């Protein structure tokens, strides 16, 4: 089996990266993480990647005057490594339209809410303030407008009475760690594709998979 050469882009802690690395450690998993790139030299996730023996690369954004120049340097690193698929996992840079268009359909992100609710930052604070009883996380294709690309997979997580942003974040993060590997599997197997701005599933069974509370619930087979 040829596995899809995948890069993970991070800026910080890298817990989703760890979940993806754990999944791709299985030879039967359809994506192989061959590169981890960060814009932050001190990102903790880089240490996890190095410990796991995965090549890493740092492209410090503050060395570039223009966003397009940073993106060009990033693109060169990805092309050099013959990357086929990119996972953003806590990558805190807005990518230029040119970069996003170039990687369209091969660039996915995880966001800690049920999109299209709560795009942007302070997600858990805003979810609690709004009074929603269910939050969750979304893996979606990246399109030029931030947090607006079509969802590939979502997981629902209850908001408990008395939750703080931190307690809700922790519950959602556990779901993220289940959801991202499942969603990457779907993309790497070609069971979902970005077509005319929509996530199109190859067969009913994959489009019908819904993840509810992944820590206890079913996963995408
Ligand atoms: C996650 O909550 C993810 O949804 C968001 O940024 C956070 C990254 O966490 N995009 P980690 O670095 O993967 O631990």
């Amino acid at each position: 089996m040829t596995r899809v050469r995948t890069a993970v882009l991070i800026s910080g802690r890298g817990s989703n990266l760890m979940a993806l690395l754990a999944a791709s450690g299985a030879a039967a998993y359809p994506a192989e993480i061959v590169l981890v790139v960060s814009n932050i030299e001190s990102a903790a996730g880089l240490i996890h990647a190095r410990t796991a023996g995965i090549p890493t690369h740092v492209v410090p954004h503050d060395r570039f005057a223009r966003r397009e120049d940073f993106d060009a340097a990033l693109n060169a690193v990805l092309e050099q490594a013959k990357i086929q698929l990119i996972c953003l996992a806590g990558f805190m840079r807005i990518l230029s339209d040119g970069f996003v268009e170039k990687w369209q359909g091969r660039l996915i992100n995880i966001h800690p809410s049920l999109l299209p609710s709560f795009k942007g930052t302070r997600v858990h604070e805003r979810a609690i303030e709004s009074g929603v009883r269910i939050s969750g996380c979304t893996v979606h294709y990246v399109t030029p407008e931030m947090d607006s690309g079509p969802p590939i997979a979502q997981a629902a997580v209850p908001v408990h009475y008395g939750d703080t942003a931190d307690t809700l974040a922790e519950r959602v993060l556990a779901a993220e760690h289940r959801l991202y590997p499942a969603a990457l599997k779907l993309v790497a197997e070609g069971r979902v594709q970005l077509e005319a701005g929509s996530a199109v599933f190859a067969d009913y069974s994959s489009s019908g998979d819904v993840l509810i509370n992944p820590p206890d619930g079913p996963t995408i087979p």
Side-chain angles (χ1 to χ4, degrees):
M1 180 184 68
T2 314
R3 304 170 77 200
V4 179
R5 293 178 65 80
T6 303
V8 182
L9 273 50
I10 62 166
S11 296
R13 179 177 55 182
S15 69
N16 278 288
L17 163 68
M18 302 262 284
L20 293 173
L21 284 174
S24 83
Y29 190 77
E32 184 181 11
I33 294 165
V34 296
L35 179 67
V36 175
V37 184
S38 181
N39 60 315
I40 308 278
E41 177 93 55
S42 60
L46 287 172
I47 297 166
H48 302 315
R50 289 174 191 140
T51 306
I54 310 295
T56 61
H57 203 104
V58 178
V59 185
H61 64 269
D62 47 12
R63 297 228 188 110
F64 298 88
R66 299 185 321 141
R67 188 177 300 282
E68 288 73 16
D69 296 338
F70 169 77
D71 287 0
L74 177 62
N75 189 63
V77 168
L78 296 165
E79 287 193 340
Q80 171 76 27
K82 299 191 167 28
I83 295 303
Q84 298 169 293
L85 196 55
I86 304 170
C87 294
L88 306 182
F91 185 66
M92 302 304 285
R93 299 294 300 168
I94 292 172
L95 294 161
S96 59
D97 289 1
F99 183 96
V100 171
E101 276 154 20
K102 178 180 168 46
W103 288 93
Q104 189 159 275
R106 301 180 296 148
L107 176 60
I108 64 177
N109 180 46
I110 189 158
H111 183 78
S113 75
L114 290 175
L115 290 173
S117 295
F118 310 118
K119 298 175 180 177
T121 57
R122 292 186 58 252
V123 170
H124 303 299
E125 286 91 331
R126 286 159 53 219
I128 290 168
E129 280 161 20
S130 75
V132 294
R133 307 315 309 150
I134 297 174
S135 191
C137 49
T138 304
V139 175
H140 64 95
Y141 285 112
V142 176
T143 55
E145 198 185 335
M146 195 177 69
D147 297 335
S148 297
I152 296 164
Q154 295 187 299
V157 170
V159 181
H160 291 166
Y161 180 74
D163 258 342
T164 63
D166 286 346
T167 59
L168 179 57
E170 191 182 339
R171 195 173 311 117
V172 171
L173 194 65
E176 293 183 43
H177 296 163
R178 295 285 298 275
L179 186 70
Y180 213 170
L184 173 59
K185 182 171 185 280
L186 280 178
V187 175
E189 285 174 338
R191 287 165 67 191
V192 59
Q193 288 188 327
L194 181 66
E195 283 176 27
S198 298
V200 176
F201 290 83
D203 55 76
Y204 177 75
S205 64
S206 54
S207 66
D209 289 327
V210 176
L211 298 185
I212 307 269
N213 292 334
D216 304 306
T219 55
I220 293 171

mmCIF file with all atom_site columns, all heavy atoms in Angstrom, residues 195-218:
data_model
loop_
_atom_site.group_PDB
_atom_site.id
_atom_site.type_symbol
_atom_site.label_atom_id
_atom_site.label_alt_id
_atom_site.label_comp_id
_atom_site.label_asym_id
_atom_site.label_entity_id
_atom_site.label_seq_id
_atom_site.pdbx_PDB_ins_code
_atom_site.Cartn_x
_atom_site.Cartn_y
_atom_site.Cartn_z
_atom_site.occupancy
_atom_site.B_iso_or_equiv
_atom_site.pdbx_formal_charge
_atom_site.auth_seq_id
_atom_site.auth_comp_id
_atom_site.auth_asym_id
_atom_site.auth_atom_id
_atom_site.pdbx_PDB_model_num
ATOM 1   N N   . GLU A 1 195 ? -14.937 19.140 -3.780 1.00 0.00 ? 195 GLU A N   1
ATOM 2   C CA  . GLU A 1 195 ? -15.418 19.354 -5.156 1.00 0.00 ? 195 GLU A CA  1
ATOM 3   C C   . GLU A 1 195 ? -16.362 20.545 -5.163 1.00 0.00 ? 195 GLU A C   1
ATOM 4   O O   . GLU A 1 195 ? -17.368 20.528 -4.449 1.00 0.00 ? 195 GLU A O   1
ATOM 5   C CB  . GLU A 1 195 ? -16.163 18.117 -5.676 1.00 0.00 ? 195 GLU A CB  1
ATOM 6   C CG  . GLU A 1 195 ? -15.243 16.990 -6.081 1.00 0.00 ? 195 GLU A CG  1
ATOM 7   C CD  . GLU A 1 195 ? -16.019 15.741 -6.493 1.00 0.00 ? 195 GLU A CD  1
ATOM 8   O OE1 . GLU A 1 195 ? -17.171 15.871 -6.938 1.00 0.00 ? 195 GLU A OE1 1
ATOM 9   O OE2 . GLU A 1 195 ? -15.461 14.652 -6.323 1.00 0.00 ? 195 GLU A OE2 1
ATOM 10  N N   . ALA A 1 196 ? -16.011 21.553 -5.961 1.00 0.00 ? 196 ALA A N   1
ATOM 11  C CA  . ALA A 1 196 ? -16.851 22.753 -6.095 1.00 0.00 ? 196 ALA A CA  1
ATOM 12  C C   . ALA A 1 196 ? -17.272 23.301 -4.727 1.00 0.00 ? 196 ALA A C   1
ATOM 13  O O   . ALA A 1 196 ? -18.436 23.641 -4.507 1.00 0.00 ? 196 ALA A O   1
ATOM 14  C CB  . ALA A 1 196 ? -18.080 22.444 -6.949 1.00 0.00 ? 196 ALA A CB  1
ATOM 15  N N   . GLY A 1 197 ? -16.320 23.352 -3.806 1.00 0.00 ? 197 GLY A N   1
ATOM 16  C CA  . GLY A 1 197 ? -16.579 23.966 -2.510 1.00 0.00 ? 197 GLY A CA  1
ATOM 17  C C   . GLY A 1 197 ? -17.299 23.091 -1.506 1.00 0.00 ? 197 GLY A C   1
ATOM 18  O O   . GLY A 1 197 ? -17.625 23.541 -0.411 1.00 0.00 ? 197 GLY A O   1
ATOM 19  N N   . SER A 1 198 ? -17.553 21.828 -1.851 1.00 0.00 ? 198 SER A N   1
ATOM 20  C CA  . SER A 1 198 ? -18.224 20.932 -0.907 1.00 0.00 ? 198 SER A CA  1
ATOM 21  C C   . SER A 1 198 ? -17.353 19.717 -0.632 1.00 0.00 ? 198 SER A C   1
ATOM 22  O O   . SER A 1 198 ? -16.565 19.303 -1.491 1.00 0.00 ? 198 SER A O   1
ATOM 23  C CB  . SER A 1 198 ? -19.552 20.424 -1.478 1.00 0.00 ? 198 SER A CB  1
ATOM 24  O OG  . SER A 1 198 ? -20.423 21.498 -1.697 1.00 0.00 ? 198 SER A OG  1
ATOM 25  N N   . ALA A 1 199 ? -17.538 19.135 0.554  1.00 0.00 ? 199 ALA A N   1
ATOM 26  C CA  . ALA A 1 199 ? -16.885 17.856 0.862  1.00 0.00 ? 199 ALA A CA  1
ATOM 27  C C   . ALA A 1 199 ? -17.792 16.766 0.307  1.00 0.00 ? 199 ALA A C   1
ATOM 28  O O   . ALA A 1 199 ? -18.919 16.594 0.776  1.00 0.00 ? 199 ALA A O   1
ATOM 29  C CB  . ALA A 1 199 ? -16.708 17.708 2.366  1.00 0.00 ? 199 ALA A CB  1
ATOM 30  N N   . VAL A 1 200 ? -17.303 16.065 -0.718 1.00 0.00 ? 200 VAL A N   1
ATOM 31  C CA  . VAL A 1 200 ? -18.121 15.054 -1.389 1.00 0.00 ? 200 VAL A CA  1
ATOM 32  C C   . VAL A 1 200 ? -17.599 13.675 -0.997 1.00 0.00 ? 200 VAL A C   1
ATOM 33  O O   . VAL A 1 200 ? -16.408 13.376 -1.163 1.00 0.00 ? 200 VAL A O   1
ATOM 34  C CB  . VAL A 1 200 ? -18.069 15.240 -2.921 1.00 0.00 ? 200 VAL A CB  1
ATOM 35  C CG1 . VAL A 1 200 ? -18.847 14.131 -3.621 1.00 0.00 ? 200 VAL A CG1 1
ATOM 36  C CG2 . VAL A 1 200 ? -18.626 16.610 -3.296 1.00 0.00 ? 200 VAL A CG2 1
ATOM 37  N N   . PHE A 1 201 ? -18.484 12.849 -0.486 1.00 0.00 ? 201 PHE A N   1
ATOM 38  C CA  . PHE A 1 201 ? -18.104 11.514 -0.012 1.00 0.00 ? 201 PHE A CA  1
ATOM 39  C C   . PHE A 1 201 ? -18.335 10.478 -1.108 1.00 0.00 ? 201 PHE A C   1
ATOM 40  O O   . PHE A 1 201 ? -19.298 10.552 -1.867 1.00 0.00 ? 201 PHE A O   1
ATOM 41  C CB  . PHE A 1 201 ? -18.895 11.159 1.253  1.00 0.00 ? 201 PHE A CB  1
ATOM 42  C CG  . PHE A 1 201 ? -18.461 11.969 2.441  1.00 0.00 ? 201 PHE A CG  1
ATOM 43  C CD1 . PHE A 1 201 ? -18.962 13.246 2.641  1.00 0.00 ? 201 PHE A CD1 1
ATOM 44  C CD2 . PHE A 1 201 ? -17.518 11.478 3.321  1.00 0.00 ? 201 PHE A CD2 1
ATOM 45  C CE1 . PHE A 1 201 ? -18.548 14.011 3.715  1.00 0.00 ? 201 PHE A CE1 1
ATOM 46  C CE2 . PHE A 1 201 ? -17.092 12.235 4.397  1.00 0.00 ? 201 PHE A CE2 1
ATOM 47  C CZ  . PHE A 1 201 ? -17.612 13.507 4.601  1.00 0.00 ? 201 PHE A CZ  1
ATOM 48  N N   . ALA A 1 202 ? -17.421 9.509  -1.156 1.00 0.00 ? 202 ALA A N   1
ATOM 49  C CA  . ALA A 1 202 ? -17.442 8.527  -2.234 1.00 0.00 ? 202 ALA A CA  1
ATOM 50  C C   . ALA A 1 202 ? -18.600 7.551  -2.098 1.00 0.00 ? 202 ALA A C   1
ATOM 51  O O   . ALA A 1 202 ? -19.108 7.031  -3.072 1.00 0.00 ? 202 ALA A O   1
ATOM 52  C CB  . ALA A 1 202 ? -16.124 7.761  -2.254 1.00 0.00 ? 202 ALA A CB  1
ATOM 53  N N   . ASP A 1 203 ? -19.016 7.295  -0.876 1.00 0.00 ? 203 ASP A N   1
ATOM 54  C CA  . ASP A 1 203 ? -20.086 6.335  -0.703 1.00 0.00 ? 203 ASP A CA  1
ATOM 55  C C   . ASP A 1 203 ? -20.932 6.737  0.489  1.00 0.00 ? 203 ASP A C   1
ATOM 56  O O   . ASP A 1 203 ? -20.492 7.493  1.355  1.00 0.00 ? 203 ASP A O   1
ATOM 57  C CB  . ASP A 1 203 ? -19.520 4.919  -0.507 1.00 0.00 ? 203 ASP A CB  1
ATOM 58  C CG  . ASP A 1 203 ? -18.537 4.868  0.636  1.00 0.00 ? 203 ASP A CG  1
ATOM 59  O OD1 . ASP A 1 203 ? -18.978 4.880  1.796  1.00 0.00 ? 203 ASP A OD1 1
ATOM 60  O OD2 . ASP A 1 203 ? -17.316 4.849  0.382  1.00 0.00 ? 203 ASP A OD2 1
ATOM 61  N N   . TYR A 1 204 ? -22.125 6.216  0.510  1.00 0.00 ? 204 TYR A N   1
ATOM 62  C CA  . TYR A 1 204 ? -23.056 6.640  1.550  1.00 0.00 ? 204 TYR A CA  1
ATOM 63  C C   . TYR A 1 204 ? -22.528 6.293  2.938  1.00 0.00 ? 204 TYR A C   1
ATOM 64  O O   . TYR A 1 204 ? -22.688 7.042  3.889  1.00 0.00 ? 204 TYR A O   1
ATOM 65  C CB  . TYR A 1 204 ? -24.437 6.001  1.344  1.00 0.00 ? 204 TYR A CB  1
ATOM 66  C CG  . TYR A 1 204 ? -25.374 6.380  2.451  1.00 0.00 ? 204 TYR A CG  1
ATOM 67  C CD1 . TYR A 1 204 ? -25.936 7.659  2.492  1.00 0.00 ? 204 TYR A CD1 1
ATOM 68  C CD2 . TYR A 1 204 ? -25.638 5.513  3.502  1.00 0.00 ? 204 TYR A CD2 1
ATOM 69  C CE1 . TYR A 1 204 ? -26.752 8.048  3.524  1.00 0.00 ? 204 TYR A CE1 1
ATOM 70  C CE2 . TYR A 1 204 ? -26.464 5.899  4.543  1.00 0.00 ? 204 TYR A CE2 1
ATOM 71  C CZ  . TYR A 1 204 ? -27.016 7.159  4.545  1.00 0.00 ? 204 TYR A CZ  1
ATOM 72  O OH  . TYR A 1 204 ? -27.811 7.545  5.583  1.00 0.00 ? 204 TYR A OH  1
ATOM 73  N N   . SER A 1 205 ? -21.858 5.149  3.060  1.00 0.00 ? 205 SER A N   1
ATOM 74  C CA  . SER A 1 205 ? -21.459 4.722  4.394  1.00 0.00 ? 205 SER A CA  1
ATOM 75  C C   . SER A 1 205 ? -20.484 5.712  5.027  1.00 0.00 ? 205 SER A C   1
ATOM 76  O O   . SER A 1 205 ? -20.563 5.981  6.213  1.00 0.00 ? 205 SER A O   1
ATOM 77  C CB  . SER A 1 205 ? -20.852 3.327  4.359  1.00 0.00 ? 205 SER A CB  1
ATOM 78  O OG  . SER A 1 205 ? -19.667 3.346  3.611  1.00 0.00 ? 205 SER A OG  1
ATOM 79  N N   . SER A 1 206 ? -19.574 6.311  4.201  1.00 0.00 ? 206 SER A N   1
ATOM 80  C CA  . SER A 1 206 ? -18.650 7.246  4.828  1.00 0.00 ? 206 SER A CA  1
ATOM 81  C C   . SER A 1 206 ? -19.339 8.571  5.119  1.00 0.00 ? 206 SER A C   1
ATOM 82  O O   . SER A 1 206 ? -19.073 9.201  6.124  1.00 0.00 ? 206 SER A O   1
ATOM 83  C CB  . SER A 1 206 ? -17.398 7.444  3.978  1.00 0.00 ? 206 SER A CB  1
ATOM 84  O OG  . SER A 1 206 ? -17.714 7.821  2.675  1.00 0.00 ? 206 SER A OG  1
ATOM 85  N N   . SER A 1 207 ? -20.273 9.009  4.240  1.00 0.00 ? 207 SER A N   1
ATOM 86  C CA  . SER A 1 207 ? -20.937 10.280 4.533  1.00 0.00 ? 207 SER A CA  1
ATOM 87  C C   . SER A 1 207 ? -21.904 10.127 5.695  1.00 0.00 ? 207 SER A C   1
ATOM 88  O O   . SER A 1 207 ? -22.228 11.094 6.370  1.00 0.00 ? 207 SER A O   1
ATOM 89  C CB  . SER A 1 207 ? -21.687 10.788 3.302  1.00 0.00 ? 207 SER A CB  1
ATOM 90  O OG  . SER A 1 207 ? -22.745 9.919  2.997  1.00 0.00 ? 207 SER A OG  1
ATOM 91  N N   . GLY A 1 208 ? -22.361 8.901  5.965  1.00 0.00 ? 208 GLY A N   1
ATOM 92  C CA  . GLY A 1 208 ? -23.316 8.690  7.036  1.00 0.00 ? 208 GLY A CA  1
ATOM 93  C C   . GLY A 1 208 ? -22.675 8.538  8.396  1.00 0.00 ? 208 GLY A C   1
ATOM 94  O O   . GLY A 1 208 ? -23.370 8.494  9.401  1.00 0.00 ? 208 GLY A O   1
ATOM 95  N N   . ASP A 1 209 ? -21.346 8.472  8.469  1.00 0.00 ? 209 ASP A N   1
ATOM 96  C CA  . ASP A 1 209 ? -20.694 8.300  9.760  1.00 0.00 ? 209 ASP A CA  1
ATOM 97  C C   . ASP A 1 209 ? -20.771 9.588  10.571 1.00 0.00 ? 209 ASP A C   1
ATOM 98  O O   . ASP A 1 209 ? -20.371 10.639 10.116 1.00 0.00 ? 209 ASP A O   1
ATOM 99  C CB  . ASP A 1 209 ? -19.215 7.932  9.581  1.00 0.00 ? 209 ASP A CB  1
ATOM 100 C CG  . ASP A 1 209 ? -19.054 6.529  9.065  1.00 0.00 ? 209 ASP A CG  1
ATOM 101 O OD1 . ASP A 1 209 ? -19.887 5.687  9.429  1.00 0.00 ? 209 ASP A OD1 1
ATOM 102 O OD2 . ASP A 1 209 ? -18.111 6.284  8.317  1.00 0.00 ? 209 ASP A OD2 1
ATOM 103 N N   . VAL A 1 210 ? -21.256 9.493  11.758 1.00 0.00 ? 210 VAL A N   1
ATOM 104 C CA  . VAL A 1 210 ? -21.316 10.653 12.640 1.00 0.00 ? 210 VAL A CA  1
ATOM 105 C C   . VAL A 1 210 ? -20.632 10.260 13.939 1.00 0.00 ? 210 VAL A C   1
ATOM 106 O O   . VAL A 1 210 ? -20.870 9.169  14.461 1.00 0.00 ? 210 VAL A O   1
ATOM 107 C CB  . VAL A 1 210 ? -22.777 11.047 12.920 1.00 0.00 ? 210 VAL A CB  1
ATOM 108 C CG1 . VAL A 1 210 ? -22.840 12.183 13.916 1.00 0.00 ? 210 VAL A CG1 1
ATOM 109 C CG2 . VAL A 1 210 ? -23.478 11.430 11.630 1.00 0.00 ? 210 VAL A CG2 1
ATOM 110 N N   . LEU A 1 211 ? -19.804 11.116 14.433 1.00 0.00 ? 211 LEU A N   1
ATOM 111 C CA  . LEU A 1 211 ? -19.137 10.829 15.697 1.00 0.00 ? 211 LEU A CA  1
ATOM 112 C C   . LEU A 1 211 ? -19.795 11.633 16.803 1.00 0.00 ? 211 LEU A C   1
ATOM 113 O O   . LEU A 1 211 ? -19.881 12.839 16.723 1.00 0.00 ? 211 LEU A O   1
ATOM 114 C CB  . LEU A 1 211 ? -17.647 11.220 15.611 1.00 0.00 ? 211 LEU A CB  1
ATOM 115 C CG  . LEU A 1 211 ? -16.814 10.492 14.579 1.00 0.00 ? 211 LEU A CG  1
ATOM 116 C CD1 . LEU A 1 211 ? -15.358 10.907 14.726 1.00 0.00 ? 211 LEU A CD1 1
ATOM 117 C CD2 . LEU A 1 211 ? -16.943 9.011  14.745 1.00 0.00 ? 211 LEU A CD2 1
ATOM 118 N N   . ILE A 1 212 ? -20.276 10.954 17.792 1.00 0.00 ? 212 ILE A N   1
ATOM 119 C CA  . ILE A 1 212 ? -20.851 11.635 18.956 1.00 0.00 ? 212 ILE A CA  1
ATOM 120 C C   . ILE A 1 212 ? -19.990 11.264 20.155 1.00 0.00 ? 212 ILE A C   1
ATOM 121 O O   . ILE A 1 212 ? -19.787 10.084 20.437 1.00 0.00 ? 212 ILE A O   1
ATOM 122 C CB  . ILE A 1 212 ? -22.291 11.172 19.230 1.00 0.00 ? 212 ILE A CB  1
ATOM 123 C CG1 . ILE A 1 212 ? -23.142 11.307 17.966 1.00 0.00 ? 212 ILE A CG1 1
ATOM 124 C CG2 . ILE A 1 212 ? -22.874 11.932 20.409 1.00 0.00 ? 212 ILE A CG2 1
ATOM 125 C CD1 . ILE A 1 212 ? -23.851 12.583 17.768 1.00 0.00 ? 212 ILE A CD1 1
ATOM 126 N N   . ASN A 1 213 ? -19.541 12.256 20.874 1.00 0.00 ? 213 ASN A N   1
ATOM 127 C CA  . ASN A 1 213 ? -18.726 11.995 22.060 1.00 0.00 ? 213 ASN A CA  1
ATOM 128 C C   . ASN A 1 213 ? -17.668 10.921 21.809 1.00 0.00 ? 213 ASN A C   1
ATOM 129 O O   . ASN A 1 213 ? -17.699 9.854  22.419 1.00 0.00 ? 213 ASN A O   1
ATOM 130 C CB  . ASN A 1 213 ? -19.610 11.533 23.227 1.00 0.00 ? 213 ASN A CB  1
ATOM 131 C CG  . ASN A 1 213 ? -20.496 12.673 23.703 1.00 0.00 ? 213 ASN A CG  1
ATOM 132 O OD1 . ASN A 1 213 ? -20.135 13.827 23.530 1.00 0.00 ? 213 ASN A OD1 1
ATOM 133 N ND2 . ASN A 1 213 ? -21.624 12.353 24.260 1.00 0.00 ? 213 ASN A ND2 1
ATOM 134 N N   . PRO A 1 214 ? -16.729 11.170 20.924 1.00 0.00 ? 214 PRO A N   1
ATOM 135 C CA  . PRO A 1 214 ? -15.784 10.120 20.563 1.00 0.00 ? 214 PRO A CA  1
ATOM 136 C C   . PRO A 1 214 ? -15.088 9.401  21.705 1.00 0.00 ? 214 PRO A C   1
ATOM 137 O O   . PRO A 1 214 ? -14.804 8.210  21.558 1.00 0.00 ? 214 PRO A O   1
ATOM 138 C CB  . PRO A 1 214 ? -14.762 10.851 19.699 1.00 0.00 ? 214 PRO A CB  1
ATOM 139 C CG  . PRO A 1 214 ? -15.567 11.919 19.074 1.00 0.00 ? 214 PRO A CG  1
ATOM 140 C CD  . PRO A 1 214 ? -16.522 12.370 20.141 1.00 0.00 ? 214 PRO A CD  1
ATOM 141 N N   . PRO A 1 215 ? -14.852 10.021 22.874 1.00 0.00 ? 215 PRO A N   1
ATOM 142 C CA  . PRO A 1 215 ? -14.151 9.239  23.893 1.00 0.00 ? 215 PRO A CA  1
ATOM 143 C C   . PRO A 1 215 ? -14.879 7.937  24.252 1.00 0.00 ? 215 PRO A C   1
ATOM 144 O O   . PRO A 1 215 ? -14.254 6.959  24.610 1.00 0.00 ? 215 PRO A O   1
ATOM 145 C CB  . PRO A 1 215 ? -14.100 10.185 25.094 1.00 0.00 ? 215 PRO A CB  1
ATOM 146 C CG  . PRO A 1 215 ? -14.091 11.536 24.473 1.00 0.00 ? 215 PRO A CG  1
ATOM 147 C CD  . PRO A 1 215 ? -14.998 11.426 23.270 1.00 0.00 ? 215 PRO A CD  1
ATOM 148 N N   . ASP A 1 216 ? -16.216 7.928  24.127 1.00 0.00 ? 216 ASP A N   1
ATOM 149 C CA  . ASP A 1 216 ? -16.955 6.720  24.463 1.00 0.00 ? 216 ASP A CA  1
ATOM 150 C C   . ASP A 1 216 ? -17.669 6.120  23.271 1.00 0.00 ? 216 ASP A C   1
ATOM 151 O O   . ASP A 1 216 ? -18.208 5.029  23.353 1.00 0.00 ? 216 ASP A O   1
ATOM 152 C CB  . ASP A 1 216 ? -18.022 7.039  25.530 1.00 0.00 ? 216 ASP A CB  1
ATOM 153 C CG  . ASP A 1 216 ? -17.393 7.669  26.738 1.00 0.00 ? 216 ASP A CG  1
ATOM 154 O OD1 . ASP A 1 216 ? -16.451 7.067  27.276 1.00 0.00 ? 216 ASP A OD1 1
ATOM 155 O OD2 . ASP A 1 216 ? -17.789 8.777  27.092 1.00 0.00 ? 216 ASP A OD2 1
ATOM 156 N N   . GLY A 1 217 ? -17.732 6.859  22.199 1.00 0.00 ? 217 GLY A N   1
ATOM 157 C CA  . GLY A 1 217 ? -18.604 6.464  21.105 1.00 0.00 ? 217 GLY A CA  1
ATOM 158 C C   . GLY A 1 217 ? -17.889 5.771  19.966 1.00 0.00 ? 217 GLY A C   1
ATOM 159 O O   . GLY A 1 217 ? -16.712 5.414  20.079 1.00 0.00 ? 217 GLY A O   1
ATOM 160 N N   . PRO A 1 218 ? -18.617 5.587  18.869 1.00 0.00 ? 218 PRO A N   1
ATOM 161 C CA  . PRO A 1 218 ? -18.048 4.861  17.728 1.00 0.00 ? 218 PRO A CA  1
ATOM 162 C C   . PRO A 1 218 ? -17.038 5.719  16.969 1.00 0.00 ? 218 PRO A C   1
ATOM 163 O O   . PRO A 1 218 ? -17.092 6.937  17.028 1.00 0.00 ? 218 PRO A O   1
ATOM 164 C CB  . PRO A 1 218 ? -19.271 4.599  16.856 1.00 0.00 ? 218 PRO A CB  1
ATOM 165 C CG  . PRO A 1 218 ? -20.207 5.720  17.187 1.00 0.00 ? 218 PRO A CG  1
ATOM 166 C CD  . PRO A 1 218 ? -19.975 6.055  18.618 1.00 0.00 ? 218 PRO A CD  1
#
